Amino acid sequence: MIPSLQDLFNILPPVIIGAGILIALTLEMFVKPAKKIIPHFAFLVFLFTAYYSLMTMDKETYSLNTLMSGGGLTNILYFIFTFGSAIVVLISYDFIRKKDIVSSEYYILLMSAVLGMMIMASAKDFLMVFLGLEQMSVCFYILAGINRRNLLSNEASLKYFLLGAFATGFIVYGIAFIYGASGSLSYLVITNAIVTGQNITFLTIGLLLFIIGFSFKIAAFPFHMWVPDVYQGAPTTVSAFMSTTGKTAAFAVLIALLLPLFTVGNYQIFGPVLSLLAALSMIYGSIVAIAQKDIKRMLAYSSIAHAGYMLIGIAAGIPAGSAGVIYYLLAYTFMNIGAFGIVAYLEGVEETNLHIEDYAGLANQKPVLAALLSLFMFALAGIPPLAGFFGKYYVFVAAIKAGLVWLALVGIVSSAISVYFYLRLVVYMYFRENSKTITVFDSSYSMLGIIIAALLVIIVGVFPNTVVELITHFIS
Amino acid sequence: MIPVEYYLVLSAFMFTTGVIGVLIRRNAIVLFMSIELMLNSANLTFVTFASFLGDSAGQVFIFFVMTVAAAEAAVGLAIMIALFRNKQTLNADEVNVLKW
């Protein structure tokens, strides 16, 4: 079938971002003050795409001969990517200038990574998954190392690159086996192949390799070793971007692939595997985060724990679980971008003000920032009525419904552990004397981004039912 | 005709070699070569299945894998050059300002 204009129209959000990249590249080449224009341009493109995705949500279509889907759940994911990235642009604007990073490329790479994520989220075929994943990952490798005179940034970039490419090897090899077993690269055919039970050994090997590869990308426990180093070494705003939208994209693929497999039944091997990954990630992330003194490293371990909570929703294998995961991703994106945004705000020109001791007495020096950071910490710890609480609530309820009571219990225990290190930061800010005042570069753009993120964390937390009903409506 | 299992065993052997290479070698460029070996073993598997099934989708896929591997190589080598300029080494054990 030859693609028509209608096909492009059905997947307009990625097309807009793609056009935005091309325009930004051209501007960068030919227009002198491109440095000033491109951040604003990228922000507007992200905002418009987010708005458009929300407005066209109820038209569910396929495009390009069922390679990609548009509308429905896909558009909710588009919204998470683009709105999250719009906030990342806001918190990056002054951060990039403070760190003296080449700025135009930074925003073009952000847009390019978002295009990759959108392709992943809308993919209904392994070819598209692979292309989207690689587009996203290659942009992440560059973004992690974009501060190229800084040794930490170089090192984070190299580690991310080597382990990311290693994971890609597993994913491609897994896809090859899935293809061999089912004779097709399309999700629909693969689901049918599982129902009929043909070549089940190859299919199982392939899917296991695929899940191992994606466990790297979502930062789940045995495959997490790159996460702390990369999130600590990469520029802070890049860590905010990778840990939230990147994770969302990888989870989107897992949900789109695994939910049909679970619902057609008689294919129970992945439930225990995913439950185990989830339990280990939660416990490991929460316990090791306690020992961390560097804020970025602590947030990285918290990110591993959150990957565990989200995996519970997938391991449950019911639509309610996946709806919970998407709600969780929405909440996590805004609270984590907010938290990293404040860390970026306070960070000095060199890698200073990143130690937990530096935050002592912050409430006196920067009362607004301290209050906002406490809000994000409460949200990440899962204290009601903020968004983080309901994210956990929905995945735990789904696990209990699916009969995985032990997994929900592990989740509750690990949330209780994690409260300690999130609230420790709050205690430092409010109840410790500051031995020295830290120098902070004020930035109204960052402040705006952080406040928007905070508002969303509150709104999504106060109206959880509306959001979850919307997601459930599209999932089933 | 050579049975399909032969190709699969060969590609599995290549893949394992690649994985072991990544796990035990320490030079970043050798690590990257091992990763390329993994990707190529996946390509071999794809071609085997495509030929076995008489379906062209698998053969198309390997062109994408090769293109992406080239893009990854470009970015990866650039990252290694940036690191080498600052540190004068590509040994993964000496790249340890951040704990592994």
Side-chain angles (χ1 to χ4, degrees), chain A residues 119-452:
Chain A
I119 294 173
M120 279 167 84
S122 66
K124 288 284 171 269
D125 188 287
F126 281 108
L127 182 59
M128 298 313 277
V129 170
F130 174 67
L131 286 179
L133 177 72
E134 281 309 294
Q135 171 150 17
M136 177 186 90
S137 304
V138 168
C139 293
F140 279 174
Y141 306 148
I142 309 172
L143 280 172
I146 198 159
N147 196 359
R148 66 190 161 87
R149 287 176 214 91
N150 180 309
L151 188 58
L152 290 183
S153 188
N154 291 153
E155 191 177 320
S157 178
L158 181 71
K159 284 177 181 172
Y160 195 15
F161 167 72
L162 287 175
L163 290 170
F166 186 53
T168 303
F170 281 97
I171 291 171
V172 180
Y173 198 51
I175 296 175
F177 273 106
I178 296 170
Y179 169 70
S182 66
S184 167
L185 289 166
S186 166
Y187 284 7
L188 302 168
V189 182
I190 288 153
T191 313
N192 291 338
I194 284 169
V195 176
T196 56
Q198 52 166 335
N199 299 327
I200 206 78
T201 323
F202 277 174
L203 208 52
T204 312
I205 295 174
L207 282 167
L208 274 178
L209 286 166
F210 191 80
I211 289 175
I212 289 176
F214 265 85
S215 303
F216 270 97
K217 304 285 175 184
I218 61 172
F221 166 63
F223 315 107
H224 66 281
M225 56 294 229
W226 57 275
V227 182
D229 289 348
V230 172
Y231 288 4
Q232 187 189 353
T236 312
T237 51
V238 175
S239 306
F241 183 60
M242 293 191 298
S243 64
T244 54
T245 50
K247 201 191 277 279
T248 308
F251 267 105
V253 172
L254 284 182
I255 290 172
L257 178 68
L258 292 179
L259 188 59
L261 298 196
F262 276 115
T263 42
V264 295
N266 72 21
Y267 203 59
Q268 295 306 330
I269 166 163
F270 294 118
V273 173
L274 291 170
S275 309
L276 194 65
L277 287 182
L280 290 174
S281 308
M282 290 183 297
I283 293 293
Y284 177 84
S286 303
I287 289 178
V288 181
I290 292 176
Q292 301 309 316
K293 295 291 178 205
D294 184 287
I295 304 275
K296 280 165 85 177
R297 221 171 159 82
M298 185 195 94
L299 284 173
Y301 280 105
S302 114
S303 165
I304 296 172
H306 281 283
Y309 299 125
M310 293 170 199
L311 272 175
I312 295 180
I314 296 184
I318 51 174
S322 296
V325 176
I326 291 174
Y327 175 85
Y328 201 137
L329 286 165
L330 178 72
Y332 180 71
T333 299
F334 296 122
M335 56 203 189
N336 215 35
I337 288 181
F340 268 115
I342 293 176
V343 177
Y345 193 112
L346 296 171
E347 194 177 332
V349 177
E350 298 298 319
E351 264 68 28
T352 51
N353 304 347
L354 288 173
H355 198 270
I356 190 164
E357 300 284 344
D358 296 326
Y359 283 62
L362 191 72
N364 295 328
Q365 200 190 340
K366 291 273 169 198
V368 180
L369 278 182
L372 287 169
L373 187 53
S374 312
L375 175 88
F376 292 125
M377 286 299 134
F378 284 129
L380 284 167
I383 288 167
L386 297 164
F389 169 74
F390 288 103
K392 281 180 187 153
Y393 171 77
Y394 286 121
V395 292
F396 292 164
V397 167
I400 291 168
K401 262 190 211 158
L404 295 167
V405 180
W406 69 273
L407 195 56
L409 283 178
V410 172
I412 291 164
V413 169
S414 112
S415 311
I417 299 171
S418 71
V419 169
Y420 172 74
F421 64 84
Y422 289 126
L423 293 198
R424 183 178 56 183
L425 191 59
V426 179
V427 169
Y428 264 88
M429 287 190 298
Y430 282 91
F431 302 113
R432 292 285 173 94
E433 292 302 312
N434 46 341
S435 47
K436 56 175 186 191
T437 42
I438 54 173
T439 33
V440 177
F441 300 86
D442 282 312
S443 151
S444 44
Y445 282 97
S446 297
M447 199 46 136
L448 179 66
I450 293 162
I451 287 172
I452 293 174

Side-chain angles (χ1 to χ4, degrees), chain B residues 66-100:
Chain B
M66 285 195 281
T67 319
V68 164
E72 254 182 6
V75 169
L77 294 176
I79 290 170
M80 287 177 203
I81 289 172
L83 178 71
F84 192 80
R85 279 196 183 136
N86 280 336
K87 180 115 184 165
Q88 273 77 43
T89 179
L90 281 179
N91 186 325
D93 285 338
E94 289 169 38
V95 183
N96 56 3
V97 184
L98 303 159
K99 287 171 282 181
W100 267 98

